[in-house]
Amino acid sequence: MPPSADSRIALQGRGVGKVFGKGELLFRALYPTDIDILKGEVLVVMGPSGSGKTTLLSILGLVLTPTEGQVLIDGYDVTHATSDDMAILRRDRIGFIFQQFNLIPSLSAVENVAVPLLLAGIPRVERLARARRALELVGMGEKAAARPRLLSGGQMQRIAIARALVNEAPVMLCDEPTASLDGSTGRGILATLREMAKSEGRAVVIVTHDERVLSIADRLVHVIDGRVQAEDVNRAAGA
Amino acid sequence: MLLIAAAVDTVVTVGHSVQGAQAFRDPGHLHMILPALIALAVAGALSAIYLRWPGWALGVLAASWFAVAYVAIFGVFHGLYGHALKEILLASGAPRKVLQEMFRESRSVEPTNLAFEVTGLLSIPVAVFVVLWLVRFVQSAWSGACESPANQEQAEAAGAGLRLTPTRGGILRLVDLALRMLFDAPFKSLGTLIGVVVSVFLMAQQTSMLMGILGRVTSFVNSSDVDIWICSLSTESTDATDTIPVNRVGAAASTLGVAWAAPIVQGIGKVTRPDGVREFVKVLGVEAPRYAGMPRTLAPGTTRESLRASRRVLVNWNDRATFASAVPGDRIEIDGQAGIVAGFFQGMDPHSPYYYMFANIDDARAFTEFPLDRITYVAVGLAPGEDVDAVKQRLQSRLPDVLVASREEMKKMEERYFLVRTPVGLVFGLGSLIAAVIGAAIVAVTLYSSAVDRSRDYGTFKAIGARQRDILELMLVQAWIYFAIGYVIGLCGFFVVKLNLPQLPMVTPARLFVGVGIASLVSCTLSSLAAIRRVLSLDPAIVFRA
């Protein structure tokens, strides 16, 4: 049995904080914060540039080790897991969607989607089949063979979403997923993300400046000067 | 990792030792096997202890000390001192006395076996790997990242509770990805490949030439049936020797274990070519009926007995064009004296300006004005079943004023003289080294530049779940792909040159290709280290930056 009894929580930060530098150059990017991300919900994190929201996302995504506090996945503290275990947890438990898409230019769409499966050592035939299914889920089945440079921003972001989905990760962490997209494309991406949360019970965290994202938010968190502010539930609900 | 390094080094050391024992017929070369096996056993035990109690301070300390001792014994003493330093000193012409003093524990000072020296040098990269491991190990232990028992328990809980999926498949699963990444930048990859190809080609060509020349250098002592050579104490090679009294032949012949002993004289003459140019010739006088010292292989139609007739000489088959002596019976002039070509020998090409020619011992004396009471060598044949070392000892005790050497010892003496006393060894050795360095530099610069260009891609790999090991393997596979393609193309180029320039003394023993392959592989691997270091230290958080 996991230490945390609340099975609704997919990802949890307990007093997580981050300090960069030492001595006079010490800079606190994130004050100790408690945050729960529930299965099936879309949590939106907003705040001005440099406020610490990406730091929070990086800590929750096990990309950055907090200087204090704990990160729990399904109730298990993984803060002190080995770097290899962290990598495997990122690979299997967390799907990332980035503002710049971060697709590998030398790989086709389907190969990009299959990268997490390749890292996991899934045989080629199986991983390409799963990658194609993920592409079809985001409506990009016809572009499987296309290289990223031939695709539009929206198409690339859909491929990135497929890559985040392909390992059936229960948590999706999105960093400004609509920042590089036009209005209608952005709305399409947001609809896809909401669908992932609602139909498949994934926890979706979106860090953004984009007010359009509030349209799919279940909860809203503000990060200002490294402090996570009280949730603006009404605004989220009213959006 | 330490266990893997120990296992690799055990394989390398055992192979090296067995090879040395076989090549030098000296079981003493097996002395490194026991330390290697002990090291493997200790590494295994320490790994087991460390995995069981990872935070145990004594275990950490013991593993560190073991790594230090391991590096000291195998990397520094055996690899760097026993092979690398020795070969550098030999190549730079260090005095033999100094070498013998420095390497008095060494089983063989002369690097006469290329494969043996290459496998000896392999201890160095393994030691470098252990040093890197030790640095990281100490860093992680110091920073506290080394799991304490409490943290380990949590990590295990995470692994068990969350059912982490083990990574399947080996390094080969990354080949396709590595290929795609390499050839996405075709011009950069082409440049790197050209570097590796040129490096492989030059290493193979230079080493092949050196081996070919060394083969020629030793062809006189190696191509006949002589088991033991007796010559002047001042002999450094057959090019630098003196004469000995002729009565040493009788003394040698009457020694226990000797089946036969025959004199050989070696004089220098000048042959006038048809175009009037005078060429230096090493006239070797051999005695009937055995004609000891002559090559085993004679051209079709030529017999040893053809030297019985007066003023007859045998000429090297490959030198016919030089002397325009295409058929037996042609006249040839040696220092103004007439000679008649009686036939041709094979398998004994010259390496120096001196062409070889055989005559019967009396004619050779006449051609070169060689003193009647002196000879250059006594060629000795062993009685069946006799041990060469035992007979050599007997001969040396009976003839303390001359040098008695087995065929192998004479061969080594010839090679050493040529490598140390002439610039050829240095030139070809440096050529190979520079080729390896150039190839390594090109691969290093390209891979590093590619790692910088692709920082975001590698950051993405890390962010979406690549372990450090996956990244390391991906980088290594890229370096090895360059090696594999470059090796094949480079060797194809080598064979094209060899086939089109048959006059070059290039030889192609299997150990040449194994040696060049290992050198290129090590070169490509080492040259990828800077890029690997950069990528491994890359912060995956780079992916969140716009």
Side-chain angles (χ1 to χ4, degrees), chain A:
Chain A
M1 283 292 289
S4 171
D6 192 344
S7 59
R8 293 175 306 153
I9 300 174
L11 184 61
Q12 195 173 17
R14 279 191 196 157
V16 286
K18 184 70 183 178
V19 173
F20 291 106
K22 286 179 181 174
E24 291 182 1
L25 296 176
L26 188 141
F27 168 68
R28 178 168 279 283
L30 186 68
Y31 286 88
T33 300
D34 288 328
I35 190 165
D36 294 344
I37 294 119
L38 305 179
K39 293 171 183 170
E41 78 163 349
V42 177
L43 172 68
V44 175
V45 181
M46 297 190 86
S49 294
S51 60
K53 52 187 192 304
T54 299
T55 302
L56 175 63
L57 190 75
S58 303
I59 289 172
L60 292 174
L62 307 180
V63 170
L64 200 60
T65 306
T67 41
E68 61 219 305
Q70 297 167 311
V71 178
L72 293 86
I73 293 181
D74 282 353
Y76 290 97
D77 180 10
V78 295
T79 321
H80 301 290
T82 63
S83 65
D84 272 1
D85 281 352
M86 292 270 202
I88 293 172
L89 285 168
R90 288 198 298 271
R91 186 187 75 197
D92 296 344
R93 295 261 158 184
I94 300 169
F96 286 98
I97 297 167
F98 309 102
Q99 179 181 351
Q100 297 297 318
F101 322 126
N102 291 340
L103 299 177
I104 309 301
S106 47
L107 302 181
S108 67
V110 69
E111 288 165 341
N112 262 287
V113 173
V115 166
L117 303 175
L118 169 73
L119 295 173
I122 305 295
R124 181 180 173 80
V125 173
E126 182 186 343
R127 70 172 179 257
L128 290 181
R130 283 172 63 178
R132 281 199 183 87
R133 280 203 296 275
L135 277 175
E136 279 160 12
L137 267 179
V138 296
M140 290 293 293
E142 291 178 359
K143 298 287 184 184
R147 292 291 181 94
R149 63 174 175 272
L150 301 175
L151 300 172
S152 68
Q155 288 172 322
M156 283 196 274
Q157 196 59 295
R158 285 184 183 281
I159 291 166
I161 292 173
R163 181 175 65 188
L165 293 174
V166 74
N167 252 347
E168 297 170 0
V171 177
M172 294 182 71
L173 302 181
C174 316
D175 182 38
E176 304 277 10
T178 56
S180 304
L181 308 177
D182 62 55
S184 64
T185 309
R187 279 193 294 278
I189 294 294
L190 291 176
T192 305
L193 289 174
R194 181 165 180 79
E195 178 66 16
M196 298 305 146
K198 297 306 166 193
S199 66
E200 299 180 28
R202 295 174 204 271
V204 178
V205 180
I206 304 175
V207 165
T208 186
H209 289 102
D210 187 353
E211 298 274 336
R212 292 174 298 177
V213 177
L214 293 176
S215 64
I216 64 163
D218 293 311
R219 282 195 298 147
L220 172 65
V221 164
H222 277 290
V223 183
I224 297 170
D225 293 334
R227 296 175 198 277
V228 176
Q229 305 283 342
E231 299 174 15
D232 189 348
V233 180
N234 291 333
R235 189 173 175 189

Side-chain angles (χ1 to χ4, degrees), chain B residues 22 129 164 188 217 223 228 260 262 342 406 439 456 460 483 485 502:
Chain B
Q22 283 181 337
F129 180 81
L164 295 184
K188 193 176 275 186
V217 166
S223 62
I228 292 175
W260 51 264
S406 65
R456 200 170 189 88
T460 303
F483 154 72
I485 300 174

Side-chain angles (χ1 to χ4, degrees), chain B residues 118-132:
Chain B
V118 169
T119 53
L121 291 170
L122 284 180
S123 292
I124 299 173
V126 179
V128 169
F129 180 81
V130 174
V131 169
L132 293 175

Side-chain angles (χ1 to χ4, degrees), chain B residues 354-406:
Chain B
Y354 301 107
Y355 292 90
Y356 288 123
M357 230 169 238
F358 281 91
N360 72 51
I361 193 162
D362 298 327
D363 288 341
R365 288 184 196 279
F367 285 138
T368 62
E369 297 177 350
F370 203 95
L372 289 173
D373 59 339
R374 311 289 290 182
I375 54 172
T376 314
Y377 310 103
V378 179
V380 173
L382 293 184
E386 289 292 338
D387 176 61
V388 66
D389 287 328
V391 176
K392 200 187 89 180
Q393 294 288 337
R394 278 181 223 132
L395 283 166
Q396 191 68 78
S397 346
R398 288 195 71 189
L399 303 165
D401 60 336
V402 294
L403 178 71
V404 181
S406 65

